[in-house]
Amino acid sequence: MKMGSGFIPALGTPLDENCQVIAESLKKQINMQIEAGAQGLLCMGSMGVEPTLDTKAYVTAAKAAVEANAGRVPLFIGAMDNSVSRVKERCELLKGLDFDGIVLTTPFYGKQSDAYLVDFFKGCADVSEKPVYLYDLAVSTGQKITYPMVVELMKHPNIKGIKTGDIVLARQLHVEYPEFNVMFSNIDIFDVARTYGLPRVLDGMFSCTPKNAAAFEACIKAGDLAGAQKHLNNILKLRDTMLPNGLWPAFTIAMNLLGLEGNYSWGGIMNAELPDEKEVITNLMREIGEIA
């Protein structure tokens, strides 16, 4: 499926008390995002805590996402892991499902050479029946995907794009290889990136701010940079308010305020709810127009 220009949310994964996926809540989230104008969906990325999910939860989330999306927008599913064989296990679980690509970070346990990383991605692309999209997330994995690596990797017929927060890398790839799909992921400069000519921006904060995400993109397309910056600043203010006590527990509060049931925390562990934090997030969600 051809990718349009606009915003792509990295979905949160709603979990119950047994760390299993609440499928109906995930479907509701997907419908909310598509109605807001999302141009694609990333299911089980880093915001969606993919590396912590067991096999049953992983399969439930993938099937629920495919069913809810129903081919309306490009759908990507994370399969991050530390070896080709473990990624292959995830790929096997996804066989037969209708989605558009598998998203992979570099291995995140132990530093490897660039040559090893190239072989890793090529090996994963060899075993995946779906196109592979690179996920440049050095802040978490400790290993950067570089321009020379991408140029080498795009020679593989099954490697089709990249998600990166490196604006220099993103621009260079977009300009020099326009058929290679670039999704930019440094939310602090999404306004700059979109006016810079980068067509797609992707972040997990869109999942709890669909109204501001839609307004941001509408302003970009209308050439209203000041309006775009206002709505992006709303999203950043919420993110910065969430960070001090941990992003995922606060993200859970925000998602629940949108009527999306579940625990969205890393590994299904929910910190004791802080009444003051819940009140602050509730008031801020009202202030930025996400809830009444």
Side-chain angles (χ1 to χ4, degrees):
M1 180 182 292
K2 185 174 177 59
M3 297 180 67
S5 62
F7 75 93
I8 302 172
L11 303 169
T13 304
L15 302 174
D16 64 17
E17 64 276 7
N18 297 313
C19 292
Q20 293 304 304
V21 173
I22 305 173
E24 291 308 310
S25 183
L26 179 58
K27 292 176 182 179
K28 184 176 179 180
Q29 180 187 173
I30 287 170
N31 287 327
M32 183 182 292
Q33 289 295 330
I34 293 176
E35 288 167 8
Q39 292 299 301
L41 303 166
L42 171 56
C43 180
M44 294 185 287
S46 54
M47 183 62 92
V49 300
E50 183 271 345
T52 74
L53 300 176
D54 66 23
T55 298
K56 182 180 177 181
Y58 185 81
V59 171
T60 300
K63 288 183 176 179
V66 168
E67 181 179 338
N69 181 51
R72 289 179 287 174
V73 298
L75 172 64
F76 306 95
I77 298 178
M80 290 82 75
D81 220 307
N82 289 305
S83 70
V84 174
S85 62
R86 288 174 64 86
V87 171
K88 183 178 180 180
E89 288 177 1
R90 293 295 207 202
C91 292
E92 290 291 329
L93 296 172
L94 299 174
K95 278 193 172 178
L97 297 182
D98 182 17
F99 65 103
D100 297 275
I102 286 176
V103 177
L104 301 175
T105 63
T106 59
F108 40 86
Y109 193 84
K111 187 171 177 58
Q112 304 292 343
S113 68
D114 287 2
Y116 175 94
L117 298 178
V118 167
D119 286 345
F120 168 78
F121 284 121
K122 286 182 177 179
C124 292
D126 286 342
V127 301
S128 174
E129 68 175 14
K130 298 292 185 180
V132 167
Y133 289 77
L134 313 173
Y135 186 174
D136 182 26
L137 191 63
V139 66
S140 295
T141 67
Q143 301 185 96
K144 181 84 177 69
I145 299 175
T146 66
Y147 177 79
M149 290 167 61
V150 179
V151 172
E152 176 61 28
L153 287 167
M154 69 173 62
K155 296 174 185 176
H156 193 291
N158 204 31
I159 296 178
K160 300 297 186 181
I162 187 171
K163 173 186 183 293
T164 180
D166 182 339
I167 196 165
V168 175
L169 175 62
R171 180 185 179 278
Q172 190 171 12
L173 291 171
H174 176 64
V175 170
E176 297 182 11
Y177 301 96
E179 297 304 311
F180 194 70
N181 290 307
V182 175
M183 295 172 278
F184 185 67
S185 61
N186 184 346
I187 191 172
D188 292 274
I189 53 172
F190 275 175
D191 51 347
V192 174
R194 289 293 280 116
T195 56
Y196 209 41
L198 295 175
R200 291 170 288 274
V201 290
L202 190 159
D203 195 82
M205 285 301 298
F206 290 144
S207 292
C208 62
T209 57
K211 292 180 179 178
N212 278 276
F216 165 80
E217 188 57 34
C219 288
I220 287 291
K221 289 178 176 174
D224 177 8
L225 181 58
Q229 289 172 335
K230 172 189 171 184
H231 293 292
L232 180 59
N233 285 341
N234 285 343
I235 298 171
L236 294 175
K237 184 175 181 181
L238 179 61
R239 180 205 61 183
D240 293 344
T241 301
M242 290 177 167
L243 286 174
N245 291 311
L247 177 62
W248 279 270
F251 178 66
T252 296
I253 294 171
M255 295 295 275
N256 294 165
L257 287 168
L258 292 178
L260 299 169
E261 178 189 3
N263 174 7
Y264 294 79
S265 297
W266 194 257
I269 298 172
M270 184 65 181
N271 295 349
E273 190 171 284
L274 303 173
D276 291 345
E277 184 175 25
K278 184 172 183 179
E279 182 178 359
V280 167
I281 292 172
T282 301
N283 290 337
L284 184 50
M285 290 278 281
R286 289 196 181 109
E287 177 188 322
I288 67 175
E290 289 296 338
I291 60 173

